[in-house]
Amino acid sequence: MSTDSYVLGRSAAETQRLHLQGQIYGSHTEHLLRSAGLTRGMRVLDIGCGVGDVTLAAARLVGPSGEVIGVDADASLLAVATDRAAGSGMENVSFIRADIPDIPIDGEVDALIGRLILIHLEDPVGAIRALRPLVRPGGIIAFQDFGLGHTTAPRTVPLAATVSGWGRDALRASGHPLLGSDGLVSIYRDAGLSVSGITAVTSAASDPESPLFDYLAATIGSLLPAITAHGIATEAEVEIDTLADRLRADARETGALLHVTELVGVWATEPERN
């Protein structure tokens, strides 16, 4: 994946949205990594690392005796990630600027991981196939992505349902797959892997002051060029500058939950090679 194929764009606002995304989904991703088997001493490759949230989470799990390599195509995001790693005092982390799947690393890794990256790849199956040789036999391949095809919320904030629909339609129109458990499992199978486990988690908020409202509005802000380009909604309909406030007002009026799309994780073990 190159920097210009990222439908959410490259901007200071998108970098801030990624920080917020990391805060919201951090515990969910750590649960996936632990469930998949990340443990101390492992060497881990995190693709599409962005500002480094997953990289740093993995680094905490593998400890000082392990190593985590974060990869992204965007130099500005890698600069943020590098500063964060230095600020945390973690010496078991490094970052590489590269397009997926052309990643120049020496030797094999014990785990290949990524969060919210497969959805942005034109050929996720081909990417996993190309990256599998970097994973040692018996190593872990774990990815986490949105279950964009459905929702589990029995009653959500009405405006949030409309707004989330804009986001899903923009991703579809931009040629990005809707994944979820079925889609991720299919990608793994087509890449020649047998799925070992699946996790699915969701985030919801009853408090209108929750950062989930800011996160949903920020995501629509990053997708706004795609939303308008594909005729899904106009800038006047989205009214991005007031969207977070309007979502909060709708939540107060209806008493409904704000529910954001579930996050699905899948992992497999790289088989022995003949």
Side-chain angles (χ1 to χ4, degrees), residues 38 42-46 109-113 135-136 139-141:
L38 254 70
M42 283 186 166
R43 188 183 194 216
V44 181
L45 179 63
D46 173 25
V109 298
D110 300 298
L112 169 67
I113 63 174
V135 183
R136 66 164 177 82
I140 297 162
I141 299 174

Side-chain angles (χ1 to χ4, degrees), residues 6 11-29 49-54 77 80 84 115-116 146 203 205 208-222 244 247-248 258 260 263:
Y6 184 61
S11 65
E14 171 58 11
T15 299
Q16 184 58 40
R17 189 196 72 85
L18 290 173
H19 280 297
L20 189 55
Q21 179 172 272
Q23 295 169 23
I24 290 169
Y25 290 117
S27 62
H28 301 326
T29 299
C49 67
V51 294
D53 288 295
V54 177
L77 296 183
V80 174
R84 294 180 69 197
R115 181 178 70 193
L116 300 174
F146 284 139
S203 293
E209 298 309 312
S210 167
L212 279 182
F213 290 84
D214 300 301
Y215 174 66
L216 178 55
T219 300
I220 295 304
S222 290
L247 285 165
R248 288 189 163 96
L258 173 65
V260 294
L263 197 63

